[in-house]
Amino acid sequence: MSKPLEGIKIIDFTHVQAGPACTQLLAWFGADVIKVERPGSGDVTRNQLRDIPDADALYFTMLNSNKRSLTLDTKTQEGKEVLEKLVRESDVLVENFGPGALDRMGFSWERLNELNPKLIMASVKGFSDGHHYDDLKVYENVAQCAGGAASTTGFWDGPPTVSAAALGDSNTGMHLAIGILTAIIGRGQTGRGQKVAVSMQDSVINLCRVKLRDQQRLDRIGYLEEYPQYPHGEFSDVVPRGGNAGGGGQPGWVLKCKGWETDPNAYIYFTIQGHAWEPICRALGKPEWIEDPNYATPQARQPHIFEIFATIEEWLADKTKYEAVDILRKFDIPCAPVLSMKEIANDPSLRASGTIVEVPHKERGTYLTVGSPIKFSGLKPEITGSPLLGEHTDEILAELGYSKDQIANLHSSRSV
Ligand code: COA
């Protein structure tokens, strides 16, 4: 089966997570992604948090599948010449170095555009160009704090809290992938490449859209009816942390199930959809609540929503999270068990769909990774292992037209 991005050549000048997550996605869909890494060391994640001595760390392998690795010192004259050749033959260059690093290396957007006017340059930075913090280096949690996620996550009596989900890194990579694909379509119309830039702060803000909605509601009316602070608590002039409250119009909460005293994940998320009140009452064995004026409407329920959750927890006390969901699903109630990473790793449905996959690796044997979360009717992305450092250096240099002797010289000058 041919893959939609076959024929697209990408210089993957990325490291850590934000950039690699973007290029990995494009590689799954058929692009030829050439990861350019510094000779001897490579992407810093190859060595980070190793679980097997002398083998690439999972942090690297899980973000760099389906790629080829070229070692290249782009600060030597010979290395720069190789990169220039590659730029002339490629469709996209993706980078997420610290601010100004590529310019210092001699590959500014203007220079790249001069070398190959069709090239798309795609960059991740912590903050967008011209922002008063645009000189800062940024990692995941910094972006979550600068993007509004941390101030609105966690409990009201605790500090700002970051999410385990990579809102700053992988999320930014996904935004960049959309930008690159858009620029590829644009190039088909104009014949020219362009620079695509995504900042981690902006990508987090894009996911915090409903919190900006809430700020404007708060400014206007002074309270937020779906937050636990309503109606008994106090609101200040900023969107508070709402614990596990649902963000839309349906109240929800994380509720204890059988075994919560010893199992940290014996919980379900339970949502009370307005129109599903009747089935909820029937599921809980509380048919008298259906018509009770204290319970019948969302407005009537809100003042004592936590009493309702407590009653649901009494109902859940003798049910495991799986048993509870099996009952509630029959009543069409939006809910799910809180799953641990161990449960996710072993989930047969996730294995069958290819969301969790085991892939071979030359040093590690096999490793578990997250496959494509995007499913197509005409494409089944095949996830292959990540490359060893410099595994494809000679092959790529030969494709660029270097002779065996020239390749040997590049090796002896330590440029590759
Ligand atoms: N050959 C020679 N030099 C290379 C090279 C290669 N193949 N690859 C990288 N380098 C050099 C760069 O030129 C740069 O050198 P310089 O600073 O002397 O100009 C240096 O290696 C890399 O710098 P930098 O990217 O700033 O690395 P860092 O480890 O100090 O910072 C980050 C890491 C992630 C904080 C930083 O890259 C950053 O803020 N990136 C943008 C935001 C981002 O993506 N963050 C999330 C990562 S998940």
Side-chain angles (χ1 to χ4, degrees):
M1 196 191 291
S2 73
K3 300 190 181 114
L5 298 188
E6 252 164 30
I8 301 284
K9 190 186 266 194
I10 297 181
I11 302 170
D12 181 13
F13 221 174
T14 71
H15 64 161
V16 202
Q17 183 174 168
C22 165
T23 48
Q24 174 172 258
L25 186 91
L26 302 172
W28 290 338
F29 304 155
D32 178 13
V33 175
I34 298 171
K35 177 135 183 141
V36 178
E37 297 179 85
R38 212 195 303 238
S41 51
D43 188 327
V44 67
T45 59
R46 286 188 186 268
N47 294 300
Q48 268 178 8
L49 310 174
R50 279 188 169 174
D51 57 325
I52 302 177
D54 303 326
D56 284 333
L58 286 164
Y59 197 11
F60 178 84
T61 63
M62 293 179 72
L63 284 156
N64 291 286
S65 62
N66 296 54
K67 302 180 183 179
R68 298 196 285 168
S69 169
L70 163 71
T71 45
L72 193 62
D73 186 337
T74 53
K75 284 189 173 161
T76 67
Q77 192 46 40
E78 295 88 337
K80 283 188 204 299
E81 282 164 18
V82 174
L83 187 61
E84 284 188 8
K85 262 183 193 281
L86 205 50
V87 165
R88 285 201 176 89
E89 296 197 358
S90 295
D91 299 284
V92 187
L93 180 147
V94 191
E95 66 92 21
N96 68 321
F97 292 125
L102 211 58
D103 294 359
R104 290 194 291 277
M105 209 187 274
F107 291 95
S108 62
W109 159 237
E110 291 71 25
R111 176 69 183 137
L112 291 169
N113 192 233
E114 188 179 271
L115 287 169
N116 178 358
K118 289 183 138 189
L119 185 85
I120 291 155
M121 175 194 179
S123 281
V124 167
K125 294 288 167 270
F127 294 87
S128 59
D129 268 354
H131 190 285
H132 57 275
Y133 284 148
D134 71 1
D135 57 330
L136 285 179
K137 291 184 175 184
V138 169
Y139 282 108
E140 172 69 57
N141 292 347
V142 178
Q144 290 198 28
C145 289
S151 71
T152 51
T153 303
F155 283 80
W156 44 92
D157 52 355
T161 303
V162 296
S163 164
L167 308 178
D169 283 341
S170 279
N171 167 45
T172 305
M174 300 304 111
H175 277 81
L176 192 68
I178 295 167
I180 291 170
L181 295 173
T182 304
I184 290 175
I185 293 172
R187 189 179 66 173
Q189 295 159 355
T190 64
R192 291 190 306 276
Q194 60 180 307
K195 180 176 172 184
V196 182
V198 179
S199 88
M200 296 168 73
Q201 182 193 36
D202 291 355
S203 301
V204 174
I205 290 173
N206 192 27
L207 296 197
C208 289
R209 189 169 290 266
V210 298
K211 297 298 173 182
L212 188 56
R213 172 202 69 185
D214 294 348
Q215 185 61 52
Q216 295 175 79
R217 292 168 58 221
L218 189 65
D219 290 344
R220 192 175 297 275
I221 59 175
Y223 63 93
L224 298 165
E225 69 212 43
E226 75 282 24
Y227 280 61
Q229 290 82 350
Y230 179 85
H232 310 298
E234 302 245 310
F235 285 92
S236 73
D237 61 350
V238 299
V239 175
R241 292 186 271 286
N244 288 316
Q250 6 281 337
W253 204 253
V254 169
L255 300 181
K256 291 169 187 157
C257 296
K258 184 177 159 187
W260 67 272
E261 298 88 343
T262 51
D263 175 355
N265 298 306
Y267 291 82
I268 60 168
Y269 198 88
F270 192 104
T271 314
I272 303 182
Q273 262 187 316
H275 65 268
W277 181 240
E278 186 175 331
I280 287 170
C281 296
R282 294 201 188 290
L284 300 175
K286 289 270 183 196
E288 66 276 17
W289 278 1
I290 297 171
E291 301 293 341
D292 186 329
N294 276 326
Y295 293 91
T297 64
Q299 291 72 20
R301 289 192 288 275
Q302 193 60 36
H304 47 253
I305 197 76
F306 282 97
E307 287 163 39
I308 297 175
F309 288 141
T311 306
I312 302 173
E313 279 188 338
E314 281 168 25
W315 179 82
L316 290 166
D318 63 349
K319 298 168 188 71
T320 68
K321 60 185 177 185
Y322 296 111
E323 288 163 354
V325 169
D326 276 345
I327 297 169
L328 297 172
R329 72 200 302 186
K330 297 193 185 95
F331 293 87
D332 222 10
I333 293 168
C335 64
V338 171
L339 296 178
S340 68
M341 291 317 297
K342 190 175 182 124
E343 287 164 322
I344 285 172
N346 297 312
D347 185 309
S349 295
L350 294 174
R351 295 284 183 127
S353 70
T355 297
I356 298 293
V357 283
E358 222 167 283
V359 293
H361 186 265
K362 291 192 176 71
E363 292 169 340
R364 302 187 58 92
T366 59
Y367 66 95
L368 207 60
T369 191
V370 184
S372 174
I374 306 169
K375 316 294 180 194
F376 301 89
S377 62
L379 165 72
K380 190 164 175 13
E382 187 201 335
I383 315 299
T384 61
S386 61
L388 300 179
L389 180 61
E391 184 176 342
H392 305 97
T393 300
D394 290 2
E395 174 185 302
I396 293 164
L397 291 172
E399 286 169 11
L400 287 173
Y402 286 92
S403 68
K404 279 198 170 134
D405 286 347
Q406 288 171 318
I407 294 173
N409 286 339
L410 283 168
H411 277 289
S412 50
S413 71
R414 296 177 190 268
S415 294
V416 297

